[in-house]
Amino acid sequence: MRLATLRDGSRDGRLLVVRSDGAAVASDDSLPRTIQAALDEWSQAEPALREFARLLDDGNVPGERLDPRRLGPPLPRAYEWVDGSAFLNHVRLVRKARGAEPPATLETDPLVYQGGSGVLLGPTDDLVLPDAAWGLDFEAEVVVILGDVPQGTRAADAEKHIRLILLCNDVTLRNLVPEELAKGFGFFQSKPATAFSPFAVTPDELGGAWRDGRVHLPLVTTYNGERAGDPRGDEMHFSFFDLVGHIAKTRAFTAGTLLGSGTVSNADRARGISCLAERRMIETIDTGKPSTPFMKVGDTIRIEMLDERGRDVFGRIEQKVVPTP
Amino acid sequence: MRLATLRDGSRDGRLLVVRSDGAAVASDDSLPRTIQAALDEWSQAEPALREFARLLDDGNVPGERLDPRRLGPPLPRAYEWVDGSAFLNHVRLVRKARGAEPPATLETDPLVYQGGSGVLLGPTDDLVLPDAAWGLDFEAEVVVILGDVPQGTRAADAEKHIRLILLCNDVTLRNLVPEELAKGFGFFQSKPATAFSPFAVTPDELGGAWRDGRVHLPLVTTYNGERAGDPRGDEMHFSFFDLVGHIAKTRAFTAGTLLGSGTVSNADRARGISCLAERRMIETIDTGKPSTPFMKVGDTIRIEMLDERGRDVFGRIEQKVVPTP
């Protein structure tokens, strides 16, 4: 089952069920009004949504043509956005790029940061860049949406708390990072609003590609019309189950919490990159200095994940960089 | 006007209006169901709530006796919890305590961190301590709730975005902090759920004590029945307006965002402390080592703020430390 959110002028938008072929959507007054409302009462909502999806697929309820530009992020405002950094190749490259050592516990203790979740971007929202000197970069990631997670939940018990899967562009202002991290409290100004894919899907939509808390598919990033990379999710060092076990050590999480994988990155250079910081680091290793600039006004970024049948499961994130209006 | 949230079994509770004398509360179906709903449509909600508060004070609508134990936090789940550290005396002492230097930009660039906001504690909720070795500490703070804040809002324009004021106990697991901060991504496991005061109040409730983006009153903390401190809000180096200007540099905030002052702390030692880490640092300075342990099962903590008439404006945070059930 795939869900999306229509921008209807309300703060949380309107839940849409997506037809299997991805070409049409539908909603119904008998269903929860929003994805958050569905998550709040998932055990009742899920069967009703699945039944409606079946009727839509069978042509027994009418679908409306999907217009991706009318979609917001599946959760326009979320209660938490916790982002891991579970692809260690990314951590190693990015730390090297800013002259920092990876933490000593890199392979045993997951890195996570708490992101802003009150204002999130839709899949085709512009990336507004007030100051090119901030060093705008994209970061393509896989994200899960959690149900209620009690404090103390262990990785081995985490799977049942994963409700939906989606993608994000975890936008980063690279040139604001070093000074901010030097203050010791983590990212803040260096992480503007994150953009999310059109569809949030139940794990069964991925078939066998969802296993051991990882999505075993390539994440395809296209920058200014050219392939930037298609690294696979297989190399996620800490699985989403591990990340749940980590974050739940000292507190509980409410339904609707977004939990990210961190930038998808593979050790094999042939898979390309999911953020410019990695490409710049590789250039530095090879030639002594980075030659790829950060994003500028007019640039475009596309992020999608193709399943074994070649279907873009989550729809596409397609954004353009624009100046302050 | 003072607002509270009744725990009624729903995720967001039920908005209550508090009578001027603090002894009774009332709600009405004509009013927004929750504080978040009121914040979402504040320009319509505020006049209706104020009129209802006037009727309650005049005895024209019946009040129910206030039972503080039935109250949740004003926002049981919030879209963001951004906490500053704007009392520099606190920053200097706590950094010294963990052998870290204050950042070079201490006086010019505010420190903020992004906290977890999906599961928040009510004013009388127990502090569950699974492991005494984590080093449980309280932190008494002043918090504001924001309306919608556009990206790029400057400090000079921030006042109109401040809707409500309240207190919090920003619980910290001190012994988890050093390793976590060494990883470079800020606090996560070291910050369990934060507890909030019973009442969230409009700034006019503070009269002249709310000015220049600060609350000019003493914040009284009582630990195990003994006065721990009553430092004043006057010494807040960066005002709430400054903090809004800082956080809005690269993104917007949605109505209902919680923004904290950081631990209230005064340079004058006679004002006492608002967290044990400060007392331990003072002991270290005076005697070479800390003698006060962190909190243990059975400990109690009370946090309240008294206005010029001696009224506890926000009600009391009163919590007890308990073991894992």
Side-chain angles (χ1 to χ4, degrees), chain B residues 80-91:
Chain B
E80 291 198 41
W81 164 219
V82 180
D83 197 11
S85 198
F87 288 86
L88 301 190
N89 189 59
H90 172 75
V91 182

Side-chain angles (χ1 to χ4, degrees), chain B:
Chain B
M1 176 169 67
R2 299 194 287 175
L3 304 176
T5 293
L6 177 72
R7 283 207 166 117
D8 65 350
S10 69
R11 287 182 181 265
D12 296 299
R14 175 77 195 241
L15 179 153
L16 299 174
V17 175
V18 182
R19 205 168 64 193
S20 287
D21 65 3
V25 291
S27 61
D28 191 87
D29 288 343
S30 70
L31 299 174
R33 232 199 96 74
T34 67
I35 293 185
Q36 182 64 52
L39 292 161
D40 282 349
E41 46 171 22
W42 190 248
S43 60
Q44 293 84 56
E46 188 192 7
L49 290 165
R50 285 190 184 274
E51 171 62 11
F52 186 77
R54 201 181 57 75
L55 294 171
L56 178 64
D57 284 347
D58 293 349
N60 291 324
V61 300
E64 247 189 278
R65 194 179 62 79
L66 171 68
D67 176 357
R69 302 206 74 87
R70 295 186 63 203
L71 299 182
L75 294 174
R77 49 179 183 173
Y79 290 107
E80 291 198 41
W81 164 219
V82 180
D83 197 11
S85 198
F87 288 86
L88 301 190
N89 189 59
H90 172 75
V91 182
R92 292 193 180 100
L93 280 175
V94 172
R95 297 260 168 155
K96 206 164 177 178
R98 56 169 207 263
E101 285 296 308
T105 54
L106 183 70
E107 295 184 19
T108 53
D109 188 26
L111 274 169
V112 297
Y113 81 91
Q114 185 93 35
S117 56
V119 177
L120 302 173
L121 299 183
T124 63
D125 286 349
D126 288 335
L127 293 171
V128 178
L129 180 58
D131 186 344
W134 290 353
L136 181 67
D137 198 0
F138 54 84
E139 292 194 14
E141 306 192 7
V142 179
V143 179
V144 298
I145 301 180
L146 303 175
D148 292 303
V149 176
Q151 186 190 336
T153 298
R154 291 164 184 274
D157 301 315
E159 182 154 23
K160 64 174 178 287
H161 300 296
I162 292 174
R163 299 275 177 268
L164 297 165
I165 306 175
L166 69 170
L167 305 179
C168 83
N169 177 13
D170 181 44
V171 186
T172 301
L173 299 167
R174 293 285 175 205
N175 295 339
L176 302 187
V177 171
E179 273 185 48
E180 195 151 71
L181 294 195
K183 290 159 67 179
F185 273 23
F187 305 102
F188 199 93
Q189 291 178 332
S190 52
K191 290 285 186 182
T194 304
F196 291 86
S197 59
F199 309 147
V201 316
T202 48
D204 58 281
E205 284 284 329
L206 296 168
W210 169 251
R211 60 178 191 277
D212 61 40
R214 296 170 180 86
V215 178
H216 296 260
L217 290 172
L219 181 62
V220 184
T221 298
T222 306
Y223 178 46
N224 290 335
E226 293 183 6
R227 171 191 168 279
D230 58 358
R232 295 181 59 89
D234 312 59
E235 263 179 57
M236 193 174 169
H237 180 82
F238 299 104
S239 72
F240 281 110
F241 305 157
D242 296 328
L243 295 180
V244 169
H246 179 78
I247 67 173
K249 179 178 172 181
T250 61
R251 58 188 170 98
F253 292 84
T254 199
T257 295
L258 295 156
L259 175 63
S261 67
T263 306
V264 176
S265 178
N266 290 171
D268 177 5
R269 276 198 194 179
R271 305 306 303 206
I273 52 94
S274 301
C275 72
L276 294 175
E278 288 192 20
R279 179 179 286 170
R280 288 165 56 89
M281 188 57 223
I282 292 166
E283 289 164 352
T284 303
I285 292 168
D286 289 354
T287 72
K289 62 176 172 37
S291 50
T292 300
F294 288 119
M295 299 178 91
K296 60 188 183 309
V297 168
D299 280 2
T300 60
I301 181 72
R302 192 171 85 216
I303 297 169
E304 66 207 306
M305 188 168 246
L306 305 180
D307 70 9
E308 278 131 9
R309 293 177 290 152
R311 179 181 69 146
D312 60 340
V313 189
F314 305 98
R316 286 176 174 176
I317 296 173
E318 287 200 279
Q319 300 182 274
K320 193 166 85 176
V321 182
V322 303
T324 306

Side-chain angles (χ1 to χ4, degrees), chain A residues 209-267:
Chain A
W210 168 251
R211 60 178 192 276
D212 61 39
R214 297 170 178 86
V215 178
H216 296 260
L217 290 172
L219 181 62
V220 184
T221 298
T222 306
Y223 177 46
N224 290 335
E226 293 181 7
R227 170 190 168 279
D230 57 358
R232 295 181 59 90
D234 312 59
E235 259 179 61
M236 194 175 170
H237 180 81
F238 299 104
S239 72
F240 281 110
F241 305 158
D242 296 328
L243 295 180
V244 169
H246 178 80
I247 67 173
K249 179 179 173 181
T250 61
R251 57 187 170 95
F253 292 83
T254 198
T257 295
L258 295 156
L259 175 62
S261 66
T263 306
V264 175
S265 178
N266 290 172

Side-chain angles (χ1 to χ4, degrees), chain A residues 175-209:
Chain A
N175 294 340
L176 303 187
V177 170
E179 273 186 49
E180 194 151 72
L181 294 195
K183 292 160 66 180
F185 273 23
F187 305 102
F188 200 92
Q189 291 178 332
S190 52
K191 290 284 186 183
T194 305
F196 291 86
S197 59
F199 309 147
V201 316
T202 49
D204 57 281
E205 284 284 332
L206 296 168

